[in-house]
Amino acid sequence: MMLDIAELLKVFFLGIIEGITEWLPISSTGHMLLVDEFIRLDMSPEFKEMFFVVIQLGAILAVVLLFFGKMFPFQWKDKSQPVVRADVFSLWFKVVVACIPGAVVTILFDDWIDEHLHTPVVIAVALIFYGFAFILVENRNKARTPKVAELSDITYQTAFVIGLFQVLSIIPGTSRSGATIIGALLIGVSRVAAAEFTFFLAVPVMFGLSFIKILKFGLHFSGTEAAVLLVGCVTAFAVSVLVIKFLMGYIKKHDFKVFGWYRIVLGAVVLGYFLA
C-alpha cells in the first residue's frame, strides 16, 4: 500500500500532537487515541498500537539533544582522557530506581490495559481527575518552599517515590509527565527539578516501551510502515524541541494550573461527546 498525501498529512498531524503533548502534562497517549477516533490512519490495529508508542522516540531524542550536557556522564577536558562525572552517574542510577515500579507494572498489565482501558471514556475521566489533582496540588504548595530545589538534590528515596507515581500513567489519559510531576510536587520537589527529572526518566522508559512494542509487532516493516514511523518521529522531534524550551521557560514564572484547567475542559468535552 502506497502512502498517499492524505495519510501523510495524518501522520504529520499526529507527530505534531505527540511533540506537543508528550512534555506538557496533558497526556500524549490520551490525545493520540482521541485524535485517532476522528482521523484514522489506514493501518492495521497492531501497527497503530506500536506506532503510538514508537513515535515517542522522536520526542525523546529532542530531550537528549537539549539536555545532553546534563545527561552525558563523561567529559573531555583534553583529547586523551575522559573525565567521569560521578554526579551524572548517580542521577542515572536514581532514574533506574524510579523506573523499577513502572517496569514491573507494565510487564504484568500492559496487554490487559491495552485491551480494556484504551477507550475515550477512560481517557476523559483520567484527564478530568488529574486536572483537578494539578489544581489542588498547586494550591496546596502555594505558600510552601520546595524541599528539593535542584535536580542534583533528588535522593534515591525521592526518586523511588516519584517512580511509584509514574505507575499511574499506565492508564490512558493520565500522562506520564503529569503523574511524575504531581508526585514530585507532592513530596516537595520544585517545578523545574520535577520537570527535569521527568525528562531524564522518560529516556529509558520510552526506549524500553518502544523496544517491547517493536518486538511484539515484529521487525519486518513494509516501505509504507517505515515511512509512517520516520515521518511521525521526525515531526515529533522537531515540535518537541520547541515545546520543551517553552515549558522550561514557562514553569520558572508560572505554575501548572493552566494545564489542569485544560485537562478538565478537554475531558468534559470528550466525555459529553462520547456519552451523547
Side-chain angles (χ1 to χ4, degrees):
M1 180 182 66
M2 295 295 291
L3 185 63
D4 59 28
I5 297 299
E7 288 299 303
L8 189 62
L9 288 174
K10 291 179 186 178
V11 175
F12 181 70
F13 183 68
L14 287 169
I16 293 174
I17 296 297
E18 164 59 26
I20 294 173
T21 60
E22 181 62 40
W23 305 114
L24 303 183
I26 54 178
S27 179
S28 61
T29 302
H31 277 75
M32 297 284 278
L33 292 173
L34 290 173
V35 168
D36 187 55
E37 289 287 332
F38 303 97
I39 305 175
R40 292 189 175 275
L41 279 178
D42 186 19
M43 298 284 173
S44 69
E46 294 77 17
F47 177 81
K48 284 200 294 186
E49 179 187 332
M50 182 268 297
F51 170 77
F52 287 153
V53 174
V54 175
I55 191 177
Q56 296 171 345
L57 286 178
I60 294 303
L61 291 176
V63 168
V64 174
L65 173 68
L66 293 174
F67 289 86
F68 186 79
K70 288 188 174 183
M71 290 185 168
F72 195 62
F74 299 100
Q75 190 174 38
W76 275 263
K77 292 189 175 180
D78 54 52
K79 294 184 178 180
S80 58
Q81 292 293 331
V83 176
V84 177
R85 300 169 64 190
D87 58 328
V88 179
F89 265 113
S90 175
L91 185 57
W92 277 117
F93 286 134
K94 293 169 187 174
V95 168
V96 171
V97 168
C99 286
I100 293 173
V104 171
V105 173
T106 298
I107 291 171
L108 294 177
F109 299 108
D110 186 51
D111 289 338
W112 187 91
I113 294 291
D114 285 344
E115 184 177 350
H116 294 90
L117 297 185
H118 279 216
T119 68
V121 172
V122 171
I123 293 169
V125 171
L127 284 168
I128 294 170
F129 179 84
Y130 289 100
F132 279 114
F134 264 111
I135 294 169
L136 292 173
V137 169
E138 285 289 17
N139 286 338
R140 169 185 176 271
N141 286 356
K142 187 177 295 184
R144 301 188 181 200
T145 301
K147 299 176 183 177
V148 180
E150 303 291 337
L151 184 65
S152 57
D153 297 331
I154 292 177
T155 64
Y156 283 96
Q157 181 180 354
T158 301
F160 183 73
V161 173
I162 294 173
L164 292 176
F165 277 93
Q166 185 187 228
V167 171
L168 300 171
S169 68
I170 195 171
I171 300 174
T174 299
S175 169
R176 184 174 299 102
S177 61
T180 54
I181 288 172
I182 285 177
L185 293 178
L186 275 173
I187 59 177
V189 180
S190 71
R191 296 187 190 96
V192 172
E196 289 184 343
F197 191 73
T198 296
F199 296 154
F200 269 78
L201 191 54
V203 174
V205 168
M206 292 317 307
F207 273 114
L209 286 175
S210 297
F211 180 71
I212 290 171
K213 291 294 184 183
I214 290 173
L215 284 182
K216 286 183 179 179
F217 180 79
L219 299 177
H220 302 289
F221 300 103
S222 67
T224 298
E225 290 169 342
V228 166
L229 287 175
L230 180 62
V231 171
C233 286
V234 170
T235 305
F237 168 81
V239 175
S240 289
V241 170
L242 300 176
V243 171
I244 292 169
K245 289 182 177 180
F246 159 77
L247 180 63
M248 295 310 296
Y250 180 86
I251 61 176
K252 289 177 181 178
K253 300 178 180 180
H254 305 87
D255 59 30
F256 285 101
K257 284 196 285 188
V258 65
F259 302 113
W261 287 115
Y262 170 83
R263 292 177 65 105
I264 292 167
V265 171
L266 177 63
V269 171
V270 171
L271 199 58
Y273 177 85
F274 284 100
L275 291 182

